[in-house]
Amino acid sequence: MDGLPDQKPEDRLVVAGRALSSRLIIGTGKYESYALNARALEASGAEMITVAVRRVNLSDPGKERLVDHIDPERYVFLPNTAGCFTGEDAVRTLRLAREAGGWNLVKLEVLSDPKHLYPDMAETLRAAEMLLKEGFEVMVYCSDDPVYAKRLEEAGCCAIMPLGAPIGSGLGIQNPVNIRLIIEQTKVPVIVDAGVGTASDAAIAMELGCDGVLMNTAIAEAKDPVRMATAMKHAVIAGREAYLAGRMPRKRYADPSSPLAGLI
């Protein structure tokens, strides 16, 4: 898969022992067709793709299936619990995913009010504990609350996925302070999930020090999803490289590029 040509193995995104060259993860919702979704995935360079188990046809051969267009042997399928509002619903959904495809690495999200789709954090933590007891490897969507993020990590989740802004809003990173606090305290990957609207939002997330970015609507609802997927690929790479390079300090006054001493 696409990564930097000189990418070192230690700089790959590693989630639950799976090493990925791309730090971009994309979804499978809102596309006009599975075929367009597949083209966007190819353009993005992503190696992991989320699958809403309750909304995507994975197993009915009588209807068009996602797996007819996107090969689960080539990409890491990440079943998620989109549309679940209780821990029991989430656990039941992921049990079905494991039965359908043998998938053990999953993305948990338990939502609250349908208006804002913020995660119900108490219910999310409860569901995570249930899934972990059943042997699932849990990547967890959460609010940008450092306290709950820490509790989820301590419970055993393999990736913490704070929102940048409400799901599907495209507002970008609204609370960089909390995202940075979560990054500083977390030993597992931190992946911004939800709220990215355009390439600069993805770059900002990576410049903060996030290990990756997950997005769906920003690509699926772009006027040209394939071109936007390409833009997101480059934005994630650029943001990561800028973070590793270390930005210059911000200064209150000008500092000339050439020294003023010794002028003719």
Side-chain angles (χ1 to χ4, degrees):
M1 292 299 163
D2 288 348
L4 294 177
D6 57 351
Q7 186 182 49
K8 299 179 176 65
E10 61 268 24
D11 190 44
R12 296 189 176 201
L13 173 60
V14 180
V15 181
R18 296 161 177 81
L20 306 171
S21 295
S22 174
R23 292 177 177 271
L24 174 61
I25 303 169
I26 76 166
T28 52
K30 302 183 179 180
Y31 287 91
E32 290 181 0
S33 66
Y34 289 146
L36 180 59
N37 195 169
R39 289 173 55 214
L41 175 59
E42 184 74 26
S44 75
E47 295 161 285
M48 181 180 284
I49 185 164
T50 63
V51 179
V53 179
R54 303 179 74 183
R55 298 171 179 162
V56 172
N57 179 30
L58 290 169
S59 56
D60 184 354
K63 300 177 182 177
E64 187 178 25
R65 299 177 300 172
L66 178 67
V67 293
D68 295 331
H69 297 271
I70 299 173
D71 184 359
E73 297 297 321
R74 182 181 176 193
Y75 297 98
V76 177
F77 274 39
L78 183 66
N80 70 31
T81 57
C84 290
F85 290 84
T86 69
E88 282 72 21
D89 279 350
V91 171
R92 189 180 309 112
T93 298
L94 293 176
R95 284 174 181 160
L96 291 172
R98 184 154 63 181
E99 290 176 11
W103 295 299
N104 201 53
L105 179 64
V106 297
K107 179 195 162 189
L108 171 65
E109 58 182 77
V110 183
L111 305 176
S112 52
D113 190 322
K115 182 177 181 179
H116 55 63
L117 295 180
Y118 265 73
D120 181 329
M121 291 311 303
E123 196 72 358
T124 296
L125 179 57
R126 190 172 73 88
E129 291 170 341
M130 288 190 285
L131 290 167
L132 290 161
K133 285 179 181 177
E134 295 192 16
F136 284 96
E137 297 168 310
V138 181
M139 301 171 67
V140 60
Y141 169 67
C142 60
S143 64
D144 54 8
D145 178 351
V147 177
Y148 260 114
K150 192 63 178 176
R151 290 181 180 175
L152 289 164
E153 181 186 10
E154 290 171 345
C157 293
C158 63
I160 305 300
M161 308 176 78
L163 56 81
I167 291 172
S169 67
L171 292 172
I173 308 298
Q174 294 296 295
N175 196 343
V177 173
N178 276 21
I179 297 292
R180 193 184 296 278
L181 287 172
I182 292 171
I183 292 166
E184 289 176 357
Q185 73 181 14
T186 306
K187 294 181 174 60
V188 297
V190 175
I191 300 169
V192 159
D193 179 5
V196 169
T198 190
S200 57
D201 299 330
I204 288 169
M206 298 304 295
E207 288 173 4
L208 286 171
C210 290
D211 296 284
V213 181
L214 191 155
M215 65 186 71
N216 183 72
T217 308
I219 296 175
E221 292 195 349
K223 292 181 180 178
D224 185 338
V226 175
R227 176 166 283 186
M228 183 61 80
T230 302
M232 292 300 188
K233 167 186 167 181
H234 293 300
V236 168
I237 292 172
R240 177 65 177 176
E241 287 293 284
Y243 171 73
L244 293 175
R247 65 158 291 143
M248 62 169 283
R250 290 180 170 88
K251 303 173 185 178
R252 293 183 62 188
Y253 303 103
D255 184 5
S257 298
S258 301
L260 296 177
L263 292 178
I264 298 173

